Amino acid sequence: AAALAALRRATDDLKARRIDALVTAPINKEAMQGDGFRFTGHTEFLAAELEGEPMMIMCSDRLRVGLVTIHLPVTEVSAHITREGIGRALDTLRASLRRDFGVVEPRIAVLALNPHAGDGGLLGREEEEIIRPAVAEAVARGVLAFGPFAADGLFANGGYARYDAVLAMYHDQGLAPFKALAMEAGVNFTAGLPYVRTSPDHGTGYDIAGKGEASEQS
């Protein structure tokens, strides 16, 4: 209840221009569920309250990762991967990199959904029928988008460093490598909103509460 009250008050203050930016601490999404909060996270709540089409961007000095889908069960991800959705995500990511991060014309690597980028359709058709055409359409609009790349290869061989950002298809595909590479210096930034909102890149950490072990770095 206290977390929800704080979030609502801060959001009201943001809309009333009493504050200029919002930094949220982690919340327990399960405990928050109730009549006053039926969202899967901060990002979805802020999308409803502040309008706009938000995108979660995990950023550090060495890596930026945007997401096409955010808080979905893995079994539902494929159904939510569309040409239009990927196109909107690329446009939002590009605009944020230019406006918020000062990148003149960002190069964006797009991840495949399936292992081995689908192996030409052997391991799934999403790459050939949805992701690759969406990348081509974005390139035609002037977006410097590349891919789709197999996720394991792009991160394992350091290929991500050749790009200003990586667009992942779903939550763990992007956040697992990000947290492995940049956990201590990572920040969650919400692009696509009319206000600045950031948060740390970790959860509530109830398992270490009161032990004096939590890192404040993020």
Side-chain angles (χ1 to χ4, degrees):
L4 179 57
L7 179 59
R8 289 197 177 281
R9 174 59 186 271
T11 304
D12 289 343
D13 284 349
L14 197 62
K15 290 190 286 189
R17 301 286 183 176
R18 287 189 287 267
I19 57 176
D20 298 308
L22 178 63
V23 178
T24 59
I27 56 172
N28 183 312
K29 298 173 182 61
E30 181 181 359
M32 291 277 282
Q33 296 303 309
D35 291 339
F37 190 90
R38 295 193 179 279
F39 302 93
T40 52
H42 279 116
T43 306
E44 292 80 2
F45 171 83
L46 293 171
E49 290 288 324
L50 303 179
E51 301 180 346
E53 191 163 339
M55 168 184 280
M56 178 188 292
I57 299 179
M58 306 300 288
C59 53
S60 72
D61 290 342
R62 63 187 301 194
L63 178 61
R64 303 181 189 99
V65 176
L67 302 177
V68 176
T69 64
I70 305 177
H71 297 122
L72 284 176
V74 173
T75 53
E76 298 179 16
V77 169
S78 179
H80 285 79
I81 300 296
T82 65
R83 289 192 194 185
E84 295 76 16
I86 293 171
R88 287 194 302 270
L90 281 168
D91 290 341
T92 299
L93 183 54
R94 179 198 188 200
S96 180
L97 290 167
R98 297 176 71 176
R99 180 184 63 247
D100 303 312
F101 295 90
V103 181
V104 175
E105 190 53 71
R107 293 165 52 86
I108 302 172
V110 179
L111 297 184
L113 175 65
N114 297 298
H116 306 172
D119 267 348
L122 182 65
L123 299 178
R125 299 294 306 169
E126 287 87 354
E127 285 72 24
E128 301 305 318
E129 297 177 359
I130 299 173
I131 303 174
R132 199 177 304 280
V135 171
E137 291 167 4
V139 170
R141 295 195 303 275
V143 181
L144 297 183
F146 304 84
F149 298 105
D152 58 346
L154 188 74
F155 287 110
N157 65 18
Y160 65 88
R162 295 194 293 269
Y163 302 93
D164 298 295
V166 175
L167 182 66
M169 293 297 114
Y170 61 95
H171 187 280
D172 284 13
Q173 183 189 50
L175 268 61
F178 178 87
K179 292 184 177 184
L181 292 165
M183 181 68 184
E184 287 302 312
V187 172
N188 176 11
F189 171 69
T190 306
L193 293 176
Y195 308 90
V196 172
R197 179 258 172 162
T198 64
S199 74
D201 66 354
H202 55 72
T204 50
Y206 287 157
D207 57 320
I208 58 171
K211 297 182 179 180
E213 298 176 2
S215 169
E216 76 287 357
Q217 189 68 32
S218 177

